[in-house]
Amino acid sequence: MSALTAPTIHVDTRLCCRQDLRLRPIDDGALLYDPVRDSVHYLNATALCVWQQCNGAHSIAMISQKLHDEFDGIELDTIEADVTATCTQLLNDALLIHEAAA
Amino acid sequence: MTSLSLPITADTTGRAPNEQAKARREADSGWLQFDAQLGPVAVRLMTNCTRVYADYATVNHDVQTTGESAGFRTTVVVEKRRSWRSGIVHYHIKSEVEERFTVRKRARVVPHIDGMINLSVARHLPDFVQLHAAVLQRSDVGLVIPGGPGFGKTTLTAALIKRGWNYASDEFALIDPRTVELAPFPKSLSIKPGSVELLEREGIELTTLPRFHRVDKGAIRCLPATHIRRDALADRVTPRMIVFPNLESTAEPTIREIPRGLAAMHCLRRCFNFARWGPAAMETVAQLCEQCSCYELTTGNLAKTCELIDTSADEAAREPIGNAKQTTLATPQIDAARNSTEIVTAH
């Protein structure tokens, strides 16, 4: 899906990990195999953390708050913007889906 | 895969006249057969041209076999023909992967044979996850240098052989998924004109080597590893170090460690047969990277570049296998979007 057609997301959006992806942890993140697109994605540790939090129960605001609690010295607004950008890319790469589609 | 066979002796019974004539021509011209063993790949060249035979034998005599080998075999047939109308000689080349390719200059035959063998291995060799990479070994340290054309892989490989590294491959890292060891594929190195002076400065003699012509590289010299060092051939290699080269001829050479996940992605982008292996290729490459220290290398001055690799290999040798140095994560930043990367396979 191109960025032009990607659905917009906001802080209350709840996203889900696709259950058919194969996760292969590696020491600084993880590789994800997508059997539908026959592709591999690499997520660094932070991206992996965001992806794993997307279980349909957590909104972007909740995930951002959790990261804010864990990482000192970063403004919540900054984290929220970056988590939104990350989720947008993961959504574009079809590694996340909207809660309603899960 | 279909196997090729050409009649070496004339058998005239039950054949059409034109086939009989063809068979007689082949018998009269004397078909020659050259067998080589490139690691798990048995290569057979059949030709009716003594000069093509000699060209190929010159650069492959160190991997020549008696002809019988179990496992994967690829056969290339080169037939020299002279046009009865124009008198011009043509070389018809065919293999399992290409029905027939015709060249007029003999200098283009050997590179084309090599190209056909590479294509056959990439398409049909079972049992191995294949990366486009050079593979070398020194002591217990197996070194993998993934990279496409123009990354300085071959020049670096030749220089490292001169400095004592043993040679396994300049084209394929053949990874056995059961052991994550690398099988050798010791094809001769294709040295581009631009690298000749650099390598001669390193003490590698190239002037006596046969020159061939490749469409993409121009006049090349085929350099057998044993021409650099008599005992240069490696057997199976246990990988401990992966180096991704980036050629910047005017830059000061630098080497820096990179995360293994990123290294795995770089490797998967160089995987020839990902479409066949799918998630098993991902697992194999992840295991490969986990047992290696992974680096990005900016190559420049060849001698200094080799010194950097030697030093890094000394460090890798001190680490126990399977417990390679852990890459330290930087302070967590919310930079995930910039580091989520992707490989899409060619079907």
Side-chain angles (χ1 to χ4, degrees):
Chain A
M1 189 186 299
S2 72
L4 289 175
T5 59
T8 52
I9 57 175
H10 47 81
V11 290
D12 296 324
T13 304
R14 290 164 196 255
L15 298 164
C16 289
C17 306
R18 266 177 55 200
Q19 296 300 306
D20 60 333
L21 301 177
R22 186 178 294 197
L23 179 74
R24 195 336 177 150
I26 199 159
D27 64 322
D28 46 24
L31 301 172
L32 278 177
Y33 174 71
D34 180 347
V36 175
R37 301 168 87 180
D38 201 15
S39 60
V40 177
H41 300 255
Y42 165 58
L43 306 187
N44 71 4
T46 319
L48 180 63
C49 178
V50 172
W51 184 79
Q52 287 178 321
Q53 291 291 318
C54 291
N55 55 5
H58 297 140
S59 66
I60 286 175
M62 293 160 79
I63 295 169
S64 302
Q65 184 60 54
K66 186 174 165 57
L67 289 175
H68 183 249
D69 294 343
E70 285 182 15
F71 300 146
D72 292 334
I74 305 176
E75 295 293 322
L76 180 60
D77 287 351
T78 307
I79 292 180
E80 219 165 63
D82 284 344
V83 169
T84 304
T86 301
C87 287
T88 301
Q89 177 166 347
L90 296 174
L91 200 59
N92 287 343
D93 291 341
L95 302 179
L96 292 175
I97 50 177
H98 278 278
E99 184 198 8
Chain B
M1 185 176 64
T2 58
S3 62
L4 288 170
S5 63
L6 275 182
I8 298 176
T9 56
D11 173 10
T12 56
T13 54
R15 290 190 178 193
N18 60 341
E19 286 186 348
Q20 289 177 27
K22 185 180 173 212
R24 270 199 301 278
R25 276 203 310 276
E26 286 164 351
D28 291 345
S29 57
W31 282 84
L32 300 162
Q33 179 176 306
F34 184 92
D35 287 294
Q37 188 72 38
L38 298 171
V41 181
V43 171
R44 173 165 290 174
L45 167 70
M46 294 182 71
T47 180
N48 63 347
C49 176
T50 50
R51 286 182 166 188
V52 166
Y53 179 91
D55 286 346
Y56 194 72
T58 302
V59 292
N60 287 287
H61 64 275
D62 284 318
V63 288
Q64 188 171 15
T65 69
T66 53
E68 291 311 316
S69 167
F72 182 80
R73 176 184 292 282
T74 184
T75 303
V76 180
V77 178
V78 181
E79 185 176 15
K80 178 183 171 183
R81 284 194 203 159
R82 187 180 295 277
S83 165
W84 62 269
R85 189 179 298 167
S86 64
I88 294 172
V89 168
H90 292 83
Y91 298 89
H92 300 284
I93 311 168
K94 64 179 177 178
S95 73
E96 297 92 339
V97 290
E98 197 162 15
E99 190 53 43
R100 194 174 84 170
F101 191 85
T102 301
V103 297
R104 280 177 55 181
K105 292 194 183 305
R106 201 181 92 227
R108 287 185 57 192
V109 174
V110 168
H112 205 85
I113 294 171
D114 280 344
M116 282 188 171
I117 292 166
N118 289 346
L119 198 56
S120 179
V121 169
R123 286 191 189 165
H124 300 299
L125 178 66
D127 305 332
F128 296 95
V129 174
Q130 303 172 10
L131 307 184
H132 192 181
V135 180
L136 298 117
Q137 184 170 39
R138 196 192 66 181
S139 304
D140 292 330
V141 177
L143 167 63
V144 184
I145 310 175
F151 279 71
K153 187 164 48 79
T154 302
T155 308
L156 187 56
T157 297
L160 288 170
I161 295 168
K162 182 68 180 174
R163 296 169 73 98
W165 287 79
N166 287 338
Y167 174 66
S169 175
D170 186 42
E171 199 66 42
F172 296 99
L174 301 174
I175 314 168
D176 185 337
R178 295 163 299 183
T179 60
V180 199
E181 286 182 327
L182 307 174
F185 187 76
K187 195 168 66 68
S188 58
L189 304 158
S190 294
I191 306 298
K192 287 185 285 193
S195 299
V196 169
E197 194 186 327
L198 281 174
L199 291 175
E200 286 184 334
R201 226 180 287 153
E202 291 293 307
I204 299 173
E205 194 280 315
L206 295 164
T207 51
T208 59
L209 292 171
R211 289 172 68 169
F212 300 109
H213 189 271
R214 269 179 61 163
V215 175
D216 57 338
K217 292 185 175 179
I220 57 158
R221 293 182 190 274
C222 281
L223 171 62
T226 50
H227 181 82
I228 305 173
R229 265 195 18 255
R230 208 49 241 163
D231 58 346
L233 296 185
D235 198 7
R236 285 177 83 87
V237 169
T238 303
R240 303 288 306 281
M241 190 174 159
I242 305 175
V243 172
F244 299 94
N246 184 23
L247 178 63
E248 284 183 34
S249 53
T250 56
E252 186 68 18
T254 55
I255 194 164
R256 69 178 184 96
E257 195 160 7
I258 60 168
R260 292 197 180 84
L262 203 55
M265 287 302 289
H266 290 336
C267 285
L268 284 167
R269 287 198 183 93
R270 299 279 169 209
C271 184
F272 283 124
N273 55 356
F274 182 83
R276 186 189 309 168
W277 288 87
M282 180 180 80
E283 176 60 34
T284 300
V285 167
Q287 285 182 30
L288 170 78
C289 293
E290 281 177 336
Q291 72 180 48
C292 290
S293 298
C294 305
Y295 302 92
E296 267 179 2
L297 172 76
T298 302
T299 65
N301 177 288
L302 193 54
K304 285 185 183 173
T305 303
C306 291
E307 280 169 23
L308 280 179
I309 291 178
D310 283 343
T311 307
S312 302
D314 290 341
E315 288 175 17
R318 287 194 285 270
E319 298 288 333
I321 294 176
N323 188 27
K325 192 167 52 181
Q326 290 290 304
T327 306
T328 309
L329 275 175
T331 308
Q333 298 291 321
I334 313 299
D335 57 356
R338 285 197 298 276
N339 289 290
S340 167
T341 50
E342 177 184 5
I343 177 174
V344 180
T345 62
H347 293 281

